[in-house]
Amino acid sequence: MDERVSRHAEVLVEHCTGVERGDEVLIRAPSVAEDLVVALYERVGERGANATTWLRSPRAGRARARAMDADDFSTSEHRLAAMEATDVVILVQGARNRAAQCDVDPAKGSPASRARQPVLEARLDTRWVITQHPTAADAQAAERSTEAWRDTVYDAVDRDWAALRERQQRIADRLDATDEVRVSADGVDLTLDVSGMDAADDHATHNLPGGEVFTVPRLDGVDGEATFDVPVRRHGREVRNARLVFEDGRVVAHDAETGRAVLDELLATDEGASRVGELGFGTNRGITEATGRTLFDEKMGDTVHVALGDALPECVPEGVDTNESAVHVDLITDVGSGEVRFDGEVVQAGGAWWFEREA
């Protein structure tokens, strides 16, 4: 086994989730990630914890979704009960075929998302993390050789997270004290009201790799428009150059160069799917090119992402109304040639944060 797989598991168990003796650990992974699952079981065993695996099979999901009537999707009480009894969740991404579900009727995506929502909410009450196992299919999507993709993944997950946390905290502290964010770049002109919201520093606690600072806008606090030039995939379908127009926090017009139907289906999921549940700034300069994996692409330095759908609860103070939805989908744009302002003051320009320009 590649020694880097063992190191990957070590970071997940020790740094990301802090597995303890007696914990119930749930690992959701595709079969192609068996090496990482084995390494995780070893690390979990060293901690005296219990481990269970849920196999993620896009082929099986496709077969069920194609056979199922849209009205028949419902929450799995078995999965919900299992999640409610879980302390730690490790979600592993990795594909054999990135397009395995591309021929499922997009109209079934919304009811499927709504059915999963209670399980998702229960997972958010655990110590959870999402990560990536390198596969040949993902290498192909990233237009890299399999070996180069492995290097990309392992270089991104095995970093000095303490140092990155310190750097990101400077941005988070300033964002925390900000009422209005303005993002301006080619194809982007967004104003977001973040008054009273908390800012968070992701140094590989919920995402591995980490590398972002994020917050949540007010429910009606997003205006302007943006073209998201980093492609994203949903249910095996690509969305490229999605353009969204916001008024009073809601998407009032949308289009896409490719994947318009996917965007239509996403926005139709529920009332909250057309509002923003997250504003994030990518800070991981170790990720320099889009890979086709949102987990990596949203962390790229000089990018901004907004997520349509459910708001991140860690950023919302008690008693503040915020967005609720069965989806949370990040859309990403490169703003390296533009600028970001916090309460009218330029904090990022030409790809550099204020403290980097001052150094």
Side-chain angles (χ1 to χ4, degrees):
M1 183 184 296
D2 190 326
E3 183 179 330
R4 296 175 296 181
V5 178
S6 181
R7 173 58 182 160
H8 190 179
E10 179 183 352
V11 175
L12 288 165
V13 169
E14 297 183 7
H15 172 77
C16 300
T17 59
V19 173
E20 301 174 348
R21 183 178 302 277
D23 274 343
E24 294 292 340
V25 180
L26 175 62
I27 302 166
R28 183 170 181 260
S31 59
V32 71
E34 184 181 16
D35 280 355
L36 179 55
V37 173
V38 170
L40 284 168
Y41 267 60
E42 182 177 14
R43 293 294 181 179
V44 168
E46 290 171 351
R47 293 295 183 101
N50 298 317
T52 301
T53 301
W54 283 359
L55 174 66
R56 181 179 179 272
S57 172
R59 287 182 62 208
R62 170 187 177 274
R64 175 174 177 267
R66 282 172 61 88
M68 181 87 76
D69 289 336
D71 293 339
D72 289 337
F73 284 93
S74 62
T75 301
S76 167
E77 296 300 328
H78 172 76
R79 283 187 171 250
L80 179 58
M83 190 64 76
E84 290 173 341
T86 296
D87 301 299
V88 173
V89 178
I90 300 174
L91 303 169
V92 181
Q93 299 179 345
R96 290 188 186 276
N97 178 0
R98 293 290 302 277
Q101 296 183 326
C102 69
D103 55 356
V104 175
D105 183 355
K108 296 182 179 180
S110 296
S113 295
R114 289 191 292 269
R116 289 191 296 266
Q117 179 68 6
V119 182
L120 170 61
E121 292 176 354
R123 191 254 290 173
L124 293 175
D125 289 333
T126 71
R127 304 195 307 276
W128 61 271
V129 64
I130 301 173
T131 194
Q132 175 77 38
H133 182 72
T135 69
D138 291 325
Q140 186 176 33
E143 298 183 346
R144 289 163 170 78
S145 68
T146 303
E147 291 75 14
W149 176 236
R150 288 195 188 106
D151 291 343
T152 295
V153 171
Y154 293 129
D155 288 348
V157 302
D158 192 7
R159 300 180 67 81
D160 185 345
W161 295 115
L164 188 61
R165 176 184 185 180
E166 182 177 347
R167 174 176 175 271
Q168 292 179 168
Q169 195 58 47
R170 299 183 66 176
I171 305 168
D173 288 343
R174 191 153 181 176
L175 180 58
D176 203 42
T178 295
D179 291 331
E180 182 184 273
V181 175
R182 177 80 178 270
V183 182
S184 305
D186 185 23
V188 182
D189 187 6
L190 285 177
T191 302
L192 303 100
D193 179 0
V194 297
S195 57
M197 297 300 191
D198 297 329
D201 166 359
D202 174 19
H203 52 282
T205 48
H206 288 323
N207 287 182
L208 182 65
E212 67 171 299
V213 174
F214 58 92
T215 188
V216 171
R218 288 278 179 173
L219 195 59
D220 58 354
V222 183
D223 291 282
E225 62 182 77
T227 297
F228 298 92
D229 56 6
V230 177
V232 297
R233 296 185 73 87
R234 179 169 169 79
H235 302 321
R237 301 178 180 86
E238 184 177 80
V239 180
R240 185 178 291 270
N241 285 325
R243 178 179 174 271
L244 302 180
V245 180
F246 294 91
E247 290 182 6
D248 297 328
R250 183 181 296 281
V251 176
V252 295
H254 67 279
D255 202 354
E257 180 182 328
T258 59
R260 169 64 189 261
V262 181
L263 200 55
D264 292 343
E265 174 269 322
L266 168 63
L267 291 167
T269 301
D270 51 32
E271 184 71 15
S274 61
R275 293 188 182 273
V276 176
E278 178 191 0
L279 165 67
F281 300 92
T283 62
N284 190 332
R285 294 277 168 71
I287 304 171
T288 58
E289 296 180 84
T291 66
R293 303 301 302 188
T294 299
L295 182 66
F296 285 69
D297 295 347
E298 68 174 359
K299 312 302 191 316
M300 280 192 298
D302 310 333
T303 62
V304 169
H305 59 274
V306 298
L308 294 176
D310 208 41
L312 299 174
E314 60 265 45
C315 296
V316 183
E318 187 175 353
V320 176
D321 290 334
T322 191
N323 200 38
E324 296 182 1
S325 175
V327 295
H328 181 94
V329 178
D330 295 288
L331 300 173
I332 309 158
T333 187
D334 186 343
V335 297
S337 61
E339 63 181 28
V340 176
R341 293 175 180 264
F342 289 175
D343 289 334
E345 187 172 350
V346 176
V347 293
Q348 187 189 56
W353 291 96
W354 79 93
F355 55 85
E356 295 171 325
R357 298 197 305 270
E358 294 168 356

